[in-house]
């Protein structure tokens, strides 16, 4: 599902972010460097700490510059001293919308079973630029007893269809099974658009088996029966919630990588976990999610053999112990 490779040097933006972000990104780059991948490194100082320093969130000139690079490799952003939502909307969501990173791709490399084993892997494809995160809504009579808050969900046929089609294309390369997750019995307008689009696209893929789950049922199945899934496709909000749950049931959110993809352009790769300011500098941060995000970036850049070597080195992550840098060294030793 990623770009074909080339012999040119890749242009990669590096955004270490806040808290443990720079620490885990450094370990990811250590692993990539050990594989001899040639790339031009372009550093960006963005995140909560940068905002506190001079008020910068995400200037338009940096967005324009990102259009000309191949990938952005990022750590978590956000600090307790920055008002909630400012960095999320001003940096992360702005990036997704402006660069049309419309696919959020989150693989789960093995959900834990009751006996301590690991089931097969599955993937969540989350629509990444619409839904409730589009910002439609507002406040009326704020800070009065009659205050009203509205938050709409924006769903377009184009946005839904390209996400669903991506999921079916991916399924054709996997086990040929796609599950739509939504809440069609309550969200009768957006749910209807998603369900009709899903069924119409499915008709073009007769080899692919399909299923539907309400999102609340999917939460139960993620915990009790994750092996029923291969490729899941869902909207922005439901995907955000499900993928955090998926990280928890597959070994912990510290192991969960993610890609924010424009399949035909610059894409961004980051660990799912937060900036964890309470453990900065202690060596307690697990860099596996960042390292696996680096592997996803290499897939996008056409370096699939190197990406596979990283994933193989990260199997049985519970055996990779030690400090942040020691875990990075252990992955390098396994390559």
């Amino acid at each position: 599902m990623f770009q074909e490779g080339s012999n040119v040097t890749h242009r990669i933006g590096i955004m270490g972010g806040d808290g443990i972000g720079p620490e885990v990104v450094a370990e990811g780059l250590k692993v990539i460097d050990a594989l001899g991948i040639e790339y031009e490194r372009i550093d960006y100082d963005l995140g909560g700490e940068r905002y506190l320093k001079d008020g910068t969130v995400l200037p338009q000139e940096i967005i324009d510059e990102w259009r000309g690079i191949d990938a952005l490799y990022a750590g978590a952003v956000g600090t307790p001293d920055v008002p909630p939502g400012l960095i999320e909307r001003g940096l992360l969501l702005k990036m997704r919308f402006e660069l049309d990173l419309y696919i959020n791709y989150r693989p789960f490399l093995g959900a834990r079973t009751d006996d301590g084993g690991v089931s097969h892997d599955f993937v969540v494809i989350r629509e990444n630029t619409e839904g409730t995160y589009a910002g439609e809504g507002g406040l009326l009579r704020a800070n009065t007893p009659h205050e009203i808050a509205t938050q709409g969900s924006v769903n377009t046929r184009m946005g839904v269809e390209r996400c669903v089609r991506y999921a079916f294309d991916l399924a054709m390369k996997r086990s040929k099974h796609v599950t739509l997750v939504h809440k069609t019995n309550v969200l009768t307008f957006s749910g209807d658009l998603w369900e009709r689009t899903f069924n119409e696209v499915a008709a073009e893929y007769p080899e692919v088996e399909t299923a539907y789950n309400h999102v609340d049922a999917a939460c139960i199945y993620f915990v009790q029966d994750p092996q029923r899934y291969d490729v899941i496709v869902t909207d922005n909000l439901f995907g955000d919630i499900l993928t955090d749950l998926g990280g928890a049931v597959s070994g912990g959110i510290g192991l969960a990588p993610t890609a924010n993809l424009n399949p035909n352009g610059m894409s961004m790769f980051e660990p799912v976990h937060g900036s964890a300011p309470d453990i900065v500098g202690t060596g307690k941060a697990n860099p596996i999610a960042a390292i696996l995000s680096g592997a996803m970036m290499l897939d996008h850049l056409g370096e699939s053999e190197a990406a596979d070597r990283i994933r193989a080195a990260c199997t049985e992550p519970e055996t990779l112990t030690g400090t942040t840098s020691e875990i990075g060294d252990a992955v390098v030793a396994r390559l």
Side-chain angles (χ1 to χ4, degrees):
M1 298 309 299
F2 299 108
Q3 296 176 5
E4 295 297 325
S6 65
N7 295 320
V8 301
T9 298
H10 308 297
R11 301 187 72 235
I12 300 176
I14 308 297
M15 186 176 77
D18 298 311
I20 62 170
E23 299 174 31
V24 296
V25 165
E27 298 310 306
L29 291 173
K30 177 194 293 183
V31 173
I32 291 170
D33 291 342
L35 290 167
I37 302 297
E38 295 188 7
Y39 62 95
E40 176 188 354
R41 174 173 175 162
I42 309 163
D43 286 286
Y44 295 96
D45 176 19
L46 296 169
E49 292 297 335
R50 175 66 186 275
Y51 172 77
L52 292 172
K53 189 186 309 179
D54 62 13
T56 297
V57 180
L58 180 56
Q60 187 61 44
E61 57 266 28
I62 291 182
I63 286 279
D64 295 337
E65 187 174 323
W66 282 348
R67 299 183 200 279
I69 66 176
D70 299 311
L72 181 66
Y73 187 41
V77 294
T79 62
D81 296 329
V82 176
L86 192 150
I87 298 298
E88 291 82 357
R89 294 209 68 87
L91 176 55
L92 297 178
L93 293 185
K94 182 179 179 180
M95 178 195 313
R96 294 174 192 174
F97 299 153
E98 294 255 355
L99 299 171
D100 203 19
L101 308 180
Y102 64 88
I103 295 294
N104 184 270
Y105 183 118
R106 291 195 184 178
F108 299 98
L109 302 179
R112 297 293 170 180
T113 57
D114 289 340
D115 61 2
V118 178
S119 71
H120 76 294
D121 69 308
F122 62 96
V123 175
V124 175
I125 301 300
R126 164 192 170 193
E127 200 290 316
N128 210 31
T129 59
E130 297 187 346
T132 50
Y133 291 12
E136 191 275 330
L139 292 173
L140 295 174
R141 306 186 185 101
N143 301 311
T144 75
H146 304 288
E147 183 169 357
I148 301 169
T150 64
Q151 192 80 56
S153 179
V154 177
N155 300 265
T156 68
R157 171 67 190 227
M158 181 200 73
V160 173
E161 181 172 344
R162 64 184 181 176
C163 181
V164 168
R165 195 170 294 280
Y166 185 95
F168 274 89
D169 286 338
L170 177 61
M172 288 293 292
K173 300 186 177 188
R174 292 174 53 92
S175 299
K176 298 183 179 178
H177 188 284
V178 181
T179 303
L180 170 64
V181 173
H182 210 279
K183 190 68 174 171
T184 56
N185 59 336
V186 175
L187 304 178
T188 53
F189 301 121
S190 61
D192 179 66
L193 174 58
W194 271 88
E195 189 168 43
R196 280 188 290 108
T197 305
F198 181 84
N199 291 337
E200 290 168 19
V201 172
E204 301 176 29
Y205 295 82
E207 298 173 65
V208 177
E209 184 180 357
T210 63
Y212 171 80
N213 290 157
H214 290 324
V215 65
D216 44 349
C219 289
I220 295 170
Y221 297 144
F222 263 46
V223 176
Q224 295 182 347
D225 187 26
Q227 48 266 40
R228 70 169 53 214
Y229 296 120
D230 186 53
V231 176
I232 295 164
V233 64
T234 189
D235 85 342
N236 208 335
L237 177 60
F238 294 149
D240 195 1
I241 296 166
L242 281 176
T243 50
D244 282 354
L245 177 59
V249 301
S250 60
I253 205 159
L255 306 178
T258 190
N260 297 275
L261 298 175
N262 179 328
N264 298 310
M266 198 288 288
S267 298
M268 190 267 268
F269 304 83
E270 60 178 340
V272 173
H273 61 70
S275 58
D278 56 320
I279 60 169
V280 172
T282 65
K284 294 180 180 179
N286 189 336
I288 295 298
I291 292 170
L292 289 173
S293 297
M296 296 182 77
M297 180 175 68
L298 293 182
D299 275 323
H300 179 72
L301 297 173
E303 304 282 359
S304 295
E305 182 179 352
D308 287 341
R309 289 177 63 187
I310 293 175
R311 282 187 285 268
C314 291
T315 55
E316 299 182 350
E318 64 275 7
T319 65
L320 293 165
T321 59
T323 65
T324 306
S325 62
E326 288 169 347
I327 292 173
D329 291 341
V331 172
V332 169
R334 290 184 175 186
L335 293 173

